[in-house]
Amino acid sequence: MKDRTKQAQGSTTVAGLDGSVSDALVRTRRYFTKSKVSPDLRTVLKTGGREADDFYRDRWSHDKIVRSTHGVNCTGSCSWKVYVKDGIITWETQQTDYPSAGPDSPEYEPRGCPRGAAFSWYTYSPTRVRYPYVRGVLLQMFREAKSQHDGDPVRAWEHIVENPRRAKAYKSARGKGGLVRATWEESCEIIAAAHVYTILKYGPDRVAGFSPIPAMSMVSHASGARFINLIGGSMLSFYDWYADLPVASPQVFGDQTDVPESGDWWNAGYLIMWGSNLPVTRTPDAHWMTEARYRGQKVIAVAPDYADNVKFADEWLPAKPGTDGALAMAMGHVVLKEFFVDRDTPYFTHYVKTYTDLPYLVCLDEAGEGTFSPGKFLTAADLAETASSANAAFKTVLIDAATGEPVVPNGSLGHRYGDADVGKWNLNLDGVDPQLTLIDAEHEGVRVHLPRFDSPDGSAGQLPRGVPARRIQGRLVTTVFDLLLAQYGVGREGLPGEWPSSYDDADAPYTPAWQEPITGIPAATAARIGREFAANAEESKGRSMIVMGAGTNHWFHSDTIYRAFLTLTNVTGCQGVNGGGWAHYVGQEKVRPLTGYNQIANALDWNRPPRNMIQTAFWYLHTNQFRYDQFSADTLSATRGPSVPGQDGPAASSFAGKTTADVIAQSARMGWMPSYPTFDRNPLELSDEAAGAGKPVAEHIVEQLKSGELSFACEDPDAKQNYPRVLSIWRANLLGSSGKGNEYFLRHLLGADSSLRASETPPELRPADVKWREEAPEGKLDLLMTIDFRQTSTTIFSDVVLPAATWYEKHDLNTTDMHPFVHSFNPAIAPPWQTRTDWDAWQSIAAKFSELAAIHLGVRTDVVAVPLTHDTIDAMANPHGVVRDWKAGECEPIPGVTMPKLVSVERDYGAVSDKMNALGPLADTLGATTKGVTFDVTKEVEYLRRKNGAVRGGVADGRPSLKRDIFVCEAILAMSGTTNGHLATQGFRTLEKRTGVKLADLASEHEGKQITFADTQGPPVPVITSPEWSGSETGGRRYSPFTINVERLKPWHTLTGRMHFYLDHDWMSELGENMPIYRPPLNMAALFAEPELGNIDDGSTGAVEGLTVRYLTPHNKWSIHSEYQDNLFMLSLSRGGQNIWMSDRDAAKVGIKDNDWIEAVNRNGVVVARAIVSHRMPEGTVYMYHAQDRLIDVPLAETSGKRGGIHNSLTRLLIKPSHLIGGYAQLCFAFNYLGPTGNQRDEVTIIRKRSQEVVY
Amino acid sequence: MRVMAQMAMVMNLDKCIGCHTCSVTCKQAWTNRTGTEYIWFNNVETRPGLGYPRTYEDQEKWEGGWELNKRGRLKLKSGGRFKKLMTIFSNPKLPSINEYYEPWTYDYATLTDAPAQEHTPVARPKSLITGKDMKIEWSANWDDDLGGATETAHMDPMLKKIADKVKFEFEQTFMFYLPRICEHCLNPSCAASCPSGAIYKREEDGIVLVDQDKCRGWRMCVSGCPYKKIYFNHKTGKAEKCTFCFPRIEVGLPTVCSETCVGRLRYIGLMLYDADKVLEAAVTPDEEDLYEAQRGVFLDPNDPEVIREAEKAGIARDWIEAAQRSPIYALINRFKVALPLHPEYRTMPMVWYIPPLSPVIDVVRETGEDAEDSKNLFAAIDALRIPIEYLAELFTAGDVEPVDRVLKKMAAMRSYMRDINMGREPNAAIPASVGMTEEEMYDMYRLLAIAKYDERY
């Protein structure tokens, strides 16, 4: 105890100030002031006479407050108050009027972050794009050409782009200044001419559009998307492209991703933040985590650095970058052993039997020498008694423990379609007790060989283990559960194979001791956290949660990392439970009113289907990154030996001799993944040819393909006729943010200066099927057009830049995963200068386009190649996921089965503008389908006709108007179940018929509720439970995904109808990824001859010492992607320009001090930045926070003599073949649902100190 | 007893996510104008770190705040008022712009206007002081998230006494955030430093303001404020400071920084205090006793005598009710989890803080047998990464005991609530171990965790 006597002593002196002189002084002055001086003379008090402070009172005053929010690139979906004084936006603060989350819960107010709070800076900032701009050299040529061609803009465009000299003149000037002001009319004329000419000469699928994340401003996104889809162009995906799509989600859940709202974290008893830095990347939501701790939630942070979120954790697990899968596998090992094998955990057992594929039977294939390998799911087609039932090959089989006999439970994919199984698509086991393991019954122990990749170089090896098996009608089978135990190395008495001796067996995957040298996490810790996670789940009935983020999701092998995570949540009964399961927060951005949005954006009301393209494959080919690969596709196979460049693998691999480009082409021609441009001929011409020959276009195309006269464009991406020619970007920053392989974009797509340093693929490693042209094209793109409100790396490389209204200057809608509300954008001021809203801008372009197209194009017939699509019967095109390549002679090319569907679409090009502005007739006649549920929207169309008014005249005569942005908002809200209770109940009733389970009551409390745009202008409006999503808000509960599946026995959209641990597609076996597994980060030294990590040498120039480190690009604290990184407030609160964070230990190795200028160099390019040196960084890894763009304080690089690059100057695309699988069950294409990820995390770089004298 | 009312704030650092939304909304509203570029009425510091302006807590250097003279009387550390008046034209104890940072902008227009040229256009930094090109060497938040900490953090004045306890190594890393506004002190040394009498405390709510008409720009207040929360506007030549958003407070709105705090960690409320006791508390001899001494100045708003005296002092009934409902009173005097920032400056600051918990360090984690056990999970205060001595340097003039008590209460609350969360029988022994009843602990949980808008302000 402290000595209190001192205080007593102190009190003996008289309290007072200074001494008597100053007392006197102050006392005297008292009489000269109106203020009151405190009797003890310490301070001045004042009550009246405060006019002097009017300045602050005036400063606070304002004329009005307008509700708006921030769009596009942030999950926040925060509602803001925008203050306006004298017609000027002054600042913003957060709204606090969110509907309550209940009396015993924190609230959503006041959502926001410093970035959003700084947004109004843009309105009047000097980086604002105020007028349309065109690159001067192009504008001049266009004016000249137009005058030479009788004022015809289309012929003028041809005149420029078809002349190599002229084309090069403006393409090589890209990114080098020289933008000049133009009018909207002239800019639109150039844009329209480029579109018309490209469609005419090369085809509509040579036009592409890119705008991401519709949820955060649906109308703005739909504006250009609707135009592109009306003309037959390709909209490029974003979720897979951003590597935000967790491919494990379609693989495991048959769902794109569906996650809990942040308010549901409150319900968790145990929370692991795994590679997700919540305070930075989910700023408005992070409080739910800090507050839930007070409720007794235990919080774990897994992060390689001491990140912002670590301070909130009870424990910090600094796993080495990219090794999270190893940690999760070891935790899974412990959970499976202690909660399934050592003892039975009734809650878990019941859960996995009902909701997962663990009890389902898998055939074992002979693999020689008395060993077996796991093969295909046993299906009803394999059993004599059920072989002839409908869709038998898509009905999976398990053993009823009661009888020991195989049964075919309801709810598999085969029950989803066809009249025979109406009412049977459900998870009702009807009294069957699924037998989880065969070990308890009569079985034989069978030796299986499982793949492993845990050597440091990631090469394939084999794991001899064993499973209990039995024969069913001649087939040797085991359960997924038994295979999973074998995979995880959880041994049981009497099984053959090699098993870990204990948790301390460091040589045997996947023990806690095994992971320790890989992750750096002590074995005991890994075991304990796994145990705690499961124990919490057992006690709380599934309330253990993993918040997983980009730190674990942006790796090449992230799907394996995620499947290891999902094992933890799914065997412990956490999915579909409030407070439990996965919480993947990486950019998915839930468009809650999905059905209505899809109609408008895809222009499904006028023509179907859209050309939706996987962006990663698109750029992999069209920025020519495929020409720089140094390894073949089978490098990643389980069947191949060590991955040494140039070394041939065993012939067993079906990828042998193929490059990634070959695999992309194969996937495209088999109808697995979309591919636009599709053929090496204009699709309009193909239709004309077929019409001329008097036969259906599909027949014509198949004939031509078979004869070899027609090829897929992706088989010769460098042929002139196969380039993408026109690209429009709005609400996006491709070249400053998402474009992995930035320097490849600059060189090959744009023909601009680049700092690319990589070598082309040597002849022996070049593609087999895809054509290699000696000369790599530079400047493929004829027109790059961007609409933005600020200058970005994309605008400064664009040929035409149009000035956009900001988010405080338009109407729109905003929703998110993170909360269950829909709210609105509203203009605080009218768009200033010559800016226009996105909707207005695209209307302007469409009007000009239609005018020119009416003359040059007229009415044409297009043919769209459509991949086999998820949530349709296409999912049953390929039984057992067997690869059948017609080009290899393995089958016939049959559209819709072994190749894409070929669908004719009539395009009235002169009427595009009219169609854009009205809701078309297909909405009523074909309805609106979301995830397999078709909504009848006739009533809604009639409502919209009255609400918005009808269009008069033209092709859209009498249709509901979409002329104004708020009309589009009304259409989206009216045609979606989440915002229209009538549709939600209707959709559930439709689903009730198919499933035979009760569902409609979930929405019936809101059947009469229809949210209008006016409603969203008030406080944020809660959405309605709808079959568009898998969770429920019914009765005001927090949204958690899959609660409808769990509580109502509605199947997942997978093969078994359950969550999958096992994937039996050929290519999954090929890659050794039938089950969760650990795969280390790619070894760039082996794949691309980059220096080994830790190398200290002069790897770049020979002059300066450098250090080879892992190069990660996490999300930035001071920006939302590239937005705000140029904002003066954010720059003043950070370090004012591009930075790279590195550890003090690494910095010391090469003499780098805090704030020194450094260069980061690898084969892909060069970055100049200042170093931030900190001990919170782990040794061997640097962070360059993502998307710092290249516009702010970036000097010339010593290495290249050119402007230093952006974070993506050091990255490039690497495509994983399994992401290209399609045409089989849940492994089927849907837009932004499945596709190759644009991952970027596996890269390495050399860091070196450069001269501190920088020039610009 | 002379009852006065004071608007006060408590920030729960255990919830601060370091996002700086408060700084931005404050700056947008108040100091987004010429002459105030470098001025952040609200700023957020990463600790350990140098703070803003750099090393402002080093009163040996800056001589802010009060100290006791030989006779035990209170005197401004920079010298008595007499000395102040004598040295009015030379004030050496002012942080230079470099201690703040040289504000800058960029030539953004070049991105649009650049003529055709060899290289991609780029916006270069330009000093807002000189207008010239510059290399950015410091900012309003330079050492955010321990940036550059290995080179600079040892200069954190709070580390002087506990240097042996803190190593700047990866394995030992810790950090937390400290958001700061003006303390609106009961005994403001800024006001006492002002030769012009331009700084006053509002009688009804204690908000400290600079009279913009009376201010003569002597900048003695900048020196006098130990928190360096008075700034000099180099355009108007006047001192400016956080106004506690009085135009909002007057109409019943919380301050901008509070209402926009995404971490929901700020509480605002009224405190009644006995003005007659302030000076006596401020001259408490032992610095470590100042925290308790200041608590002793606050009056219980439910005490009938206090209510009577308050009414006599002309304090309106709704203000008395506000004081009774005050979350500040609850956090400071009922639950006793909030602590003053640097009580040793003797200014009687009125923005208080709940200190942060942090992850346990590995050593202890490895010896803990079952972390699910409440004793291991939530009560290992000694094992926290943030050295308790560091927190004590900030909040209790180095006395670790009060900090330890607060952290134990927080940990106990988590343990206690975990049982309820998991549907178990709650364990009354847990609150009892930190001297609380179950009801008190539950009430504290609701105020800290659920923290509805109406309960925060």
Side-chain angles (χ1 to χ4, degrees), chain A residues 183-206:
Chain A
T183 62
W184 268 93
E185 190 178 4
E186 193 169 23
S187 306
C188 286
E189 189 176 79
I190 294 173
I191 296 162
H195 279 83
V196 169
Y197 176 73
T198 301
I199 293 169
L200 188 65
K201 168 89 176 178
Y202 300 106
D205 53 352
R206 274 64 173 170

Side-chain angles (χ1 to χ4, degrees), chain B residues 143-204:
Chain B
D143 50 4
D144 188 73
D145 281 0
L146 303 174
T150 19
E151 288 173 39
T152 59
H154 64 277
M155 293 184 274
D156 177 341
M158 292 304 99
L159 288 173
K160 275 186 185 166
K161 292 184 200 156
I162 56 162
D164 57 319
K165 299 221 163 46
V166 177
K167 289 197 184 71
F168 293 104
E169 285 172 9
F170 181 70
E171 294 77 8
Q172 311 289 322
T173 311
F174 74 91
M175 67 176 180
F176 64 98
Y177 305 105
L178 181 68
R180 296 200 303 122
I181 61 170
C182 167
E183 291 282 348
H184 297 277
C185 304
L186 296 183
N187 183 31
S189 54
C190 58
S193 305
C194 177
S196 314
I199 300 182
Y200 61 95
K201 244 180 127 52
R202 306 207 318 173
E203 177 126 29
E204 70 274 30

Side-chain angles (χ1 to χ4, degrees), chain A residues 26 33 73 168 363 395 443 473 493 587 590 601 648 661 730 790 798 831 915 1001 1008 1011 1035 1080:
Chain A
V26 180
T33 173
N73 49 13
K168 190 171 180 188
C363 300
K395 292 175 176 169
H443 68 271
Q473 300 188 9
E493 193 107 353
K590 193 171 272 163
D648 289 329
W730 68 109
R790 66 190 182 101
S798 291
K915 291 182 176 182
D1001 59 304
I1011 300 168

Side-chain angles (χ1 to χ4, degrees), chain A residues 6 53 57 311 315 525, chain B residues 16 200 250 286 365-366:
Chain A
K6 281 183 287 182
D53 300 306
R57 236 178 277 280
K311 86 184 253 280
E315 296 188 36
T525 304
Chain B
C16 183
Y200 61 95
E250 286 170 2
D286 188 337
R365 183 171 68 188
E366 286 318 307

Side-chain angles (χ1 to χ4, degrees), chain A residues 1042-1175:
Chain A
F1042 312 125
T1043 51
I1044 296 179
N1045 306 75
V1046 166
E1047 293 166 13
R1048 301 302 177 95
L1049 301 177
K1050 192 223 136 188
W1052 279 264
H1053 298 191
T1054 61
L1055 176 67
T1056 59
R1058 280 78 177 168
M1059 296 181 282
H1060 270 243
F1061 290 90
Y1062 191 78
L1063 298 170
D1064 68 347
H1065 191 275
D1066 278 4
W1067 281 12
M1068 296 308 292
S1069 305
E1070 169 77 42
L1071 287 169
E1073 297 179 12
N1074 298 122
M1075 284 182 282
I1077 195 168
Y1078 171 63
R1079 301 197 72 155
L1082 295 181
N1083 183 334
M1084 305 313 267
L1087 296 177
F1088 287 104
E1090 288 284 4
E1092 296 279 354
L1093 284 168
N1095 252 24
I1096 298 185
D1097 63 16
D1098 57 355
S1100 52
T1101 64
V1104 195
E1105 199 172 61
L1107 173 70
T1108 304
V1109 289
R1110 199 167 275 301
Y1111 173 73
L1112 304 185
T1113 54
H1115 292 118
N1116 194 339
K1117 181 165 179 174
W1118 306 107
S1119 71
I1120 301 291
H1121 307 299
S1122 69
E1123 185 115 51
Y1124 304 103
Q1125 53 76 32
D1126 54 352
N1127 184 300
L1128 190 54
F1129 291 111
M1130 297 297 97
L1131 288 159
S1132 300
L1133 283 173
S1134 56
R1135 289 193 170 198
Q1138 288 206 140
N1139 293 119
I1140 291 179
W1141 282 78
M1142 62 191 302
S1143 86
D1144 52 328
R1145 292 168 192 177
D1146 286 333
K1149 289 173 199 163
V1150 282
I1152 293 169
K1153 292 209 155 38
D1154 190 49
N1155 208 37
D1156 273 353
W1157 285 104
I1158 57 172
E1159 292 198 0
V1161 187
N1162 67 15
R1163 70 200 179 286
N1164 299 318
V1166 52
V1167 161
V1168 189
R1170 284 175 290 143
I1172 303 182
V1173 179
S1174 176
H1175 65 289

Side-chain angles (χ1 to χ4, degrees), chain B residues 428-439:
Chain B
I430 298 174
S433 72
V434 290
M436 295 176 86
T437 66
E438 287 189 83
E439 289 74 17

Side-chain angles (χ1 to χ4, degrees), chain A residues 124 145 153 163 453 524 557 781 896 961 1131:
Chain A
Y124 310 106
N163 177 300
F453 298 96
H557 287 304
L781 206 59
S961 172
L1131 288 159

